[in-house]
Amino acid sequence: MKKGLLLLSCIFLLLQGCSSESENDDSSACGTVNLISVTQNGNTLNFNYQSQNAFNYYEIGYDQTASVANQGNNLFFNYSFTTTNASNASIDDENLSFFAENNQTLSFYIRAQCTNGDLTDWQGPIVLNVDEFCEKPYDFDVQNGTAFWETYNNQTNASYFQVQYGSQGFQIGNGEVITTNDESTSDAALASGNTYDFYVRSFCTNNLGFSNWEGPVTYYAEYDQNLCNPPSNVTTEVERNASGQAIGAVFRWDYNGESNFEHVVVLNNSTPDSGTIYTSDTGGWPLYNLSQNTDFDFYIRAVCTDGTRTEWVGPKDINIGY
């Protein structure tokens, strides 16, 4: 009898061990994830994948194909990221310009973490030959209504730039576009009290076309800018020489968001078109040398970013006396 009980106990323990081993095998097979495609759009990598079962997150690892070719199942990647998106993901990788220049291929793998904490096996590779592309600007910012950026460290040459801006949250393609050869622009038309998003991209030579957009940078406009507002609050100050003799007048005004102006001094009751029109910007105030004890009229208008002019503001009467 004791021998029979001992035999039954051994069989029970054996079955329990097998059951435990079977459960462990099942827990590691918690689902599958398959990488379907990897595509390149400039410096952006786009991934599509399919999975069976629910996962905590997905991990995509990649490296130069030559670096992972002989690693077997002990894969190590210099580049990887995780996402909770269940079917697709994107990532920007500035290293792609280096890979393209050196005619490198990249190998991509995917795995996922199961709800019990286990990781699936790596699945892959998908091999991608990295194409040369136009690198986008960097260090992009907007301050005091001026957007500026850098391209000095880029390996591709930009011949010009496009800045697109609009109300915060606007969709690319629906904004206002500024084209410039410089790495900054102050030409955006902004209304005070509003918040805007800005983007910038390069156009490169060697048939590389446009880069991806960099942005958005969000900017709150405290003042009007480039709304084609006329200047206002014109003031004058008599200019005198060391002897105290009046020699002319300095004119000042409120910019009201504009940067370029035309102004003229004419004899009293004359039209502004009858005098010599001068231009100025926001870099200083114009000084007019005027005849003493003579009545003059000062007129000023803004030159808008599209080349149009506001109406003349004036006349502002001036007589410098003696």
Side-chain angles (χ1 to χ4, degrees), residues 132-134 155-159 203-210:
E132 188 178 9
F133 61 94
C134 182
Q155 301 300 312
T156 51
N157 295 320
S159 56
F203 184 85
C204 293
T205 56
N206 297 328
N207 297 317
L208 295 181
F210 283 107

Side-chain angles (χ1 to χ4, degrees), residues 138-315:
Y138 59 91
D139 287 349
F140 181 40
D141 201 2
V142 182
Q143 295 182 9
N144 299 320
T146 298
F148 52 91
W149 55 90
E150 296 285 348
T151 59
Y152 179 80
N153 290 324
N154 288 353
Q155 301 300 312
T156 51
N157 295 320
S159 56
Y160 66 87
F161 307 94
Q162 280 188 344
V163 173
Q164 188 167 167
Y165 70 98
S167 298
Q168 186 178 23
F170 84 98
Q171 297 296 313
I172 286 288
N174 296 328
E176 299 293 329
V177 177
I178 301 169
T179 301
T180 177
N181 294 322
D182 301 320
E183 293 188 349
S184 66
T185 180
S186 301
D187 289 345
L190 309 174
S192 63
N194 291 301
T195 303
Y196 298 87
D197 282 344
F198 282 76
Y199 296 82
V200 65
R201 66 178 178 177
S202 301
F203 184 85
C204 293
T205 56
N206 297 328
N207 297 317
L208 295 181
F210 283 107
S211 72
N212 290 347
W213 289 102
E214 174 70 6
V217 169
T218 301
Y219 174 74
Y220 175 77
E222 296 186 39
Y223 308 98
D224 287 346
Q225 176 176 300
N226 298 324
L227 297 181
C228 211
N229 294 325
S232 62
N233 193 29
V234 180
T235 62
T236 63
E237 180 182 351
V238 175
E239 185 80 2
R240 300 181 181 276
N241 61 21
S243 302
Q245 183 182 31
I247 59 173
V250 174
F251 296 88
R252 297 179 174 85
W253 57 88
D254 289 343
Y255 301 135
N256 295 337
E258 304 307 313
S259 302
N260 295 286
F261 305 91
E262 293 180 340
H263 43 82
V264 62
V265 170
V266 295
L267 289 173
N268 188 236
N269 296 324
S270 299
T271 65
D273 295 333
S274 64
T276 301
I277 298 175
Y278 295 93
T279 62
S280 62
D281 53 24
T282 58
W285 304 108
L287 166 65
Y288 280 86
N289 295 316
L290 303 175
S291 301
Q292 295 176 343
N293 201 30
T294 304
D295 292 328
F296 293 97
D297 290 337
F298 176 77
Y299 290 87
I300 184 169
R301 64 185 177 186
V303 180
C304 308
T305 53
D306 62 0
T308 60
R309 272 77 169 162
T310 66
E311 296 293 326
W312 286 108
V313 175

Side-chain angles (χ1 to χ4, degrees), residues 9 32 45 53 68 110 200 263 299 307:
S9 297
T32 60
L45 294 170
N53 214 340
V68 296
I110 192 170
V200 65
H263 43 82
Y299 290 87

Side-chain angles (χ1 to χ4, degrees), residues 31-223:
T32 60
V33 56
N34 294 304
L35 192 57
I36 304 302
S37 67
V38 181
T39 58
Q40 176 194 356
N41 178 21
N43 69 316
T44 301
L45 294 170
N46 300 306
F47 305 89
N48 286 286
Y49 41 90
Q50 292 180 343
S51 58
Q52 296 178 354
N53 214 340
F55 296 105
N56 294 333
Y57 64 83
Y58 303 84
E59 182 179 7
I60 296 175
Y62 60 102
D63 212 324
Q64 297 176 59
T65 299
S67 299
V68 296
N70 299 317
Q71 290 187 18
N73 294 325
N74 299 316
L75 292 171
F76 171 81
F77 302 103
N78 287 309
Y79 309 95
S80 65
F81 71 98
T82 61
T83 178
T84 57
N85 293 334
S87 61
N88 58 77
S90 296
I91 186 174
D92 289 349
D93 189 342
E94 301 301 331
N95 293 300
L96 293 187
S97 60
F98 169 82
F99 297 137
E101 288 174 7
N102 292 276
N103 196 31
Q104 297 287 336
T105 60
L106 297 179
S107 291
F108 297 85
Y109 294 77
I110 192 170
R111 68 179 178 181
Q113 186 191 60
C114 307
T115 55
N116 65 0
D118 291 342
L119 291 169
T120 66
D121 292 333
W122 286 108
Q123 186 273 328
I126 285 184
V127 179
L128 177 70
N129 185 55
V130 183
D131 294 326
E132 188 178 9
F133 61 94
C134 182
E135 295 178 72
K136 63 184 181 179
Y138 59 91
D139 287 349
F140 181 40
D141 201 2
V142 182
Q143 295 182 9
N144 299 320
T146 298
F148 52 91
W149 55 90
E150 296 285 348
T151 59
Y152 179 80
N153 290 324
N154 288 353
Q155 301 300 312
T156 51
N157 295 320
S159 56
Y160 66 87
F161 307 94
Q162 280 188 344
V163 173
Q164 188 167 167
Y165 70 98
S167 298
Q168 186 178 23
F170 84 98
Q171 297 296 313
I172 286 288
N174 296 328
E176 299 293 329
V177 177
I178 301 169
T179 301
T180 177
N181 294 322
D182 301 320
E183 293 188 349
S184 66
T185 180
S186 301
D187 289 345
L190 309 174
S192 63
N194 291 301
T195 303
Y196 298 87
D197 282 344
F198 282 76
Y199 296 82
V200 65
R201 66 178 178 177
S202 301
F203 184 85
C204 293
T205 56
N206 297 328
N207 297 317
L208 295 181
F210 283 107
S211 72
N212 290 347
W213 289 102
E214 174 70 6
V217 169
T218 301
Y219 174 74
Y220 175 77
E222 296 186 39
Y223 308 98

